[in-house]
Amino acid sequence: MQQIRSQVTERDGLFELEAGSDVLDSPRYNHDMAPTKVHERTWNKWHITALWVGMSICVPTYTLGGVLTAYFGLSVGEALLAILFANIIVLIPLTLNAFPGTKYGVPFPVLLRSSFGILGSNVPCLIRALVACGWFGIQTMFGGLAIHLFLGSVFDGWKSLGGTGEVIGFMLFWALNLWVVIRGAESIKWLETLSAPLLVLVGVGLLVWAMPNVSMTELMAIPPKRPEGASVVSYFAAGLTAMVGFWATLSLNIPDFSRYAKSQKDQIVGQIVGLPLTMFLFAALGVVMTAASVKLVGVTVSDPVTLIGHIQSPVWVAVAMALIIIATLSTNTAANIVSPTNDFQNIAPKVINRTKAVMLTGLVGLVLMAHELFKKLGLIVSDVSLETVYSNWLLGYSSLLGPIAGIMVVDYFLIKKQQLDLAGLYRDDVYPAWNWFGFIAFGVPVALTLLSLGSDAFSWFYSYGWFTGSALGGVIYYGLCVMKPQLSIVKSAV
């Protein structure tokens, strides 16, 4: 006989939901969005470390040093310091927002129901999902190029396909990504665990190949591309903000992964060990490889896929491309598909299950990359480059998500005091449908950030967008929640 009311039990600080008909029949619940059982929380610190190694070692990380030197006017040394500091900073919201996921076993969209409302949670979820789908498309483009080069090294006639071969590679890699995520969290865990040591070997191999062809002294002495005598502070701060924005999205939906952690200690240690150093070292490798590329292949090449494609040995190209395919797959599945899959389910959990949500994610990512795919097929001619999209729009857009991170941290730790009604997150009778305090706290800093684009006096607000947004969003949310009794009195008097 099915129990009518849900029961919540605690084991060693981890809460578990025994769902009754009040939750099972709710339109806000499905099996994929349900809190993980304690026995399902199997990820230890090494699994979480492997997750971050797998996500960090990817083509975009490799190009970060070049982005900061070319677009943000930093020297090589300044760029690498900005990357290291940014990833230490982003550990704070990552670790804090992971806490409720580990404690209650809930994914990101369900946690947002506490701060934005049962229905209101869909707004920040869909904003987050759009960013993830954009990154999914870009990473799939890199993975598709690796498949194209792999097949070209194995089959002589494949290279003649040119852009058409790249599009075929894109579609093959696109399907492979979706298949992994449809199989569930355990498949992602084992993919990350198995790929992490392989990816470290790739980095070491590339470094051994490059080091005889580059002088570190000369590389570090290259002057920055900014006006002579200009203060480094504003340039460094802008680059730092952009690098924080690189993982700003994951700092929101980290509960999608921490819900599988064995304990709070495991998620904290795993993230500290896995993220900052991996990002720093692989970005540094990218700087070294780009500098060495002139001597290695005769031209300056800023991404590893194209660089390795210049190698004359088909065997080494095939091996290297296979490893890059694994690297990009491990990044893409975890960082860019899991979140929108959960976000799309949150719209209508009874209608959209995990498989449908994964396919929807894939479709949106495909649409966002349609322009680039049509270019490769020769159907359109355009000067808009994938690098422009990556370095400008997505990094800038990600920085606008700062207020959500601040609101989530304040809601859980200061307003709710780390106490959530687990069953209530899946019903309509505990939390409001729309929490307007969350929307006001999100809307004000976003509006100020956008307005600052047209003002020289307040341009700093945009340049430091993630920091200003997260701090202001959290402060406004806290102020509104604390003032709620007074606001209620004023409303009733009116």
Side-chain angles (χ1 to χ4, degrees):
M1 182 177 176
Q2 188 184 90
Q3 65 184 33
I4 297 175
R5 298 295 296 181
S6 299
Q7 303 293 322
V8 177
T9 56
E10 178 193 355
R11 278 193 276 171
D12 298 323
L14 303 180
F15 286 74
E16 184 174 272
L17 178 68
E18 290 295 334
S21 58
D22 61 323
V23 166
L24 294 173
D25 297 337
S26 169
R28 316 301 165 202
Y29 175 92
N30 71 17
H31 175 73
D32 297 318
M33 300 283 285
T36 51
K37 300 292 186 182
V38 172
H39 70 84
E40 295 174 317
R41 303 178 200 182
T42 60
W43 295 32
N44 61 32
K45 57 181 176 292
W46 300 118
H47 292 127
I48 295 171
T49 297
L51 172 73
W52 279 109
V53 171
M55 289 196 293
S56 298
I57 298 181
C58 60
V59 175
T61 301
Y62 180 101
T63 64
L64 286 181
V67 169
L68 287 175
T69 54
Y71 292 96
F72 290 87
L74 300 182
S75 68
V76 170
E78 292 163 355
L80 295 178
L81 279 177
I83 292 167
L84 180 61
F85 289 168
N87 284 281
I88 292 173
I89 290 168
V90 85
L91 268 178
I92 298 171
L94 273 167
T95 304
L96 293 176
N97 281 330
F99 264 79
T102 301
K103 182 175 181 178
Y104 290 101
V106 295
F108 165 64
V110 174
L111 178 61
L112 272 185
R113 294 172 182 178
S114 171
S115 51
F116 284 86
I118 299 295
L119 296 178
S121 62
N122 286 300
V123 176
C125 278
L126 292 178
I127 293 172
R128 168 67 182 98
L130 180 61
V131 178
C133 289
W135 281 115
F136 166 61
I138 287 177
Q139 290 276 18
T140 303
M141 196 67 72
F142 286 127
L145 176 59
I147 288 179
H148 169 65
L149 293 174
F150 172 82
L151 293 174
S153 68
V154 176
F155 305 108
D156 292 335
W158 190 271
K159 290 181 181 179
S160 63
L161 292 175
T164 302
E166 291 185 39
V167 173
I168 294 172
F170 177 95
M171 295 309 301
L172 290 172
F173 192 70
W174 179 87
L176 180 60
N177 278 267
L178 302 189
W179 176 76
V180 169
V181 180
I182 286 173
R183 288 177 59 86
E186 281 297 300
S187 66
I188 295 174
K189 180 179 84 171
W190 289 114
L191 171 65
E192 302 296 338
T193 303
L194 294 173
S195 65
L198 288 175
L199 301 182
V200 172
L201 287 176
V202 170
V204 172
L206 288 172
L207 189 62
V208 170
W209 180 40
M211 283 307 293
N213 297 281
V214 65
S215 167
M216 292 302 296
T217 303
E218 293 178 5
L219 183 62
M220 299 300 286
I222 297 174
K225 295 178 181 178
R226 59 176 181 260
E228 189 175 348
S231 171
V232 69
V233 175
S234 60
Y235 289 88
F236 187 85
L240 185 70
T241 301
M243 292 304 99
V244 169
F246 189 82
W247 286 125
T249 50
L250 262 293
S251 73
L252 303 182
N253 74 285
I254 190 63
D256 290 334
F257 300 101
S258 67
R259 63 193 293 230
Y260 298 103
K262 284 186 172 182
S263 68
Q264 299 292 2
K265 180 180 178 180
D266 284 303
Q267 68 92 354
I268 294 170
V269 173
Q271 295 199 88
I272 291 174
V273 173
L275 175 60
L277 195 58
T278 305
M279 286 289 294
F280 174 78
L281 292 177
F282 201 67
L285 174 66
V287 171
V288 172
M289 292 297 298
T290 301
S293 61
V294 176
K295 291 184 179 179
L296 291 170
V297 299
V299 293
T300 300
V301 181
S302 60
D303 81 80
V305 181
T306 305
L307 178 61
I308 295 170
H310 281 83
I311 300 174
Q312 298 302 311
S313 169
V315 174
W316 281 113
V317 170
V319 171
M321 288 303 152
L323 292 172
I324 285 178
I325 290 168
I326 294 171
T328 310
L329 180 66
S330 65
T331 300
N332 219 14
T333 51
N336 302 321
I337 305 181
V338 171
S339 176
T341 294
N342 288 335
D343 297 338
F344 289 138
Q345 286 186 82
N346 193 59
I347 299 171
K350 294 297 187 189
V351 178
I352 306 175
N353 60 17
R354 181 171 62 207
T355 300
K356 291 179 181 177
V358 170
M359 297 307 298
L360 183 57
T361 298
L363 180 62
V364 175
L366 188 61
V367 170
L368 291 175
M369 287 296 107
H371 176 273
E372 194 72 16
L373 294 173
F374 287 150
K375 275 177 59 179
K376 292 184 181 298
L377 291 171
L379 298 177
I380 61 173
V381 178
S382 172
D383 293 331
V384 177
S385 68
L386 190 63
E387 185 181 33
T388 300
V389 175
Y390 157 55
S391 61
N392 294 323
W393 183 78
L394 278 176
L395 284 177
Y397 189 59
S398 296
S399 70
L400 294 178
L401 301 181
I404 301 176
I407 291 166
M408 289 175 66
V409 170
V410 168
D411 180 72
Y412 182 69
F413 286 95
L414 300 182
I415 303 303
K416 302 302 193 306
K417 309 292 186 184
Q418 301 185 59
Q419 300 298 318
L420 299 175
D421 187 323
L422 187 53
L425 289 171
Y426 293 90
R427 303 200 309 259
D428 290 328
D429 58 346
V430 176
Y431 295 94
W434 299 84
N435 184 357
W436 295 110
F437 289 171
F439 283 96
I440 294 170
F442 173 65
V444 170
V446 167
L448 290 175
T449 300
L450 295 175
L451 289 172
S452 67
L453 286 172
S455 170
D456 293 335
F458 291 97
S459 60
W460 58 270
F461 198 92
Y462 176 78
S463 298
Y464 312 143
W466 191 88
F467 297 99
T468 53
S470 57
L472 186 57
V475 168
I476 292 175
Y477 185 77
Y478 181 77
L480 290 171
C481 291
V482 170
M483 291 170 58
K484 185 177 181 179
Q486 287 85 348
L487 293 173
S488 299
I489 293 171
V490 172
K491 184 178 179 181
S492 61
V494 173

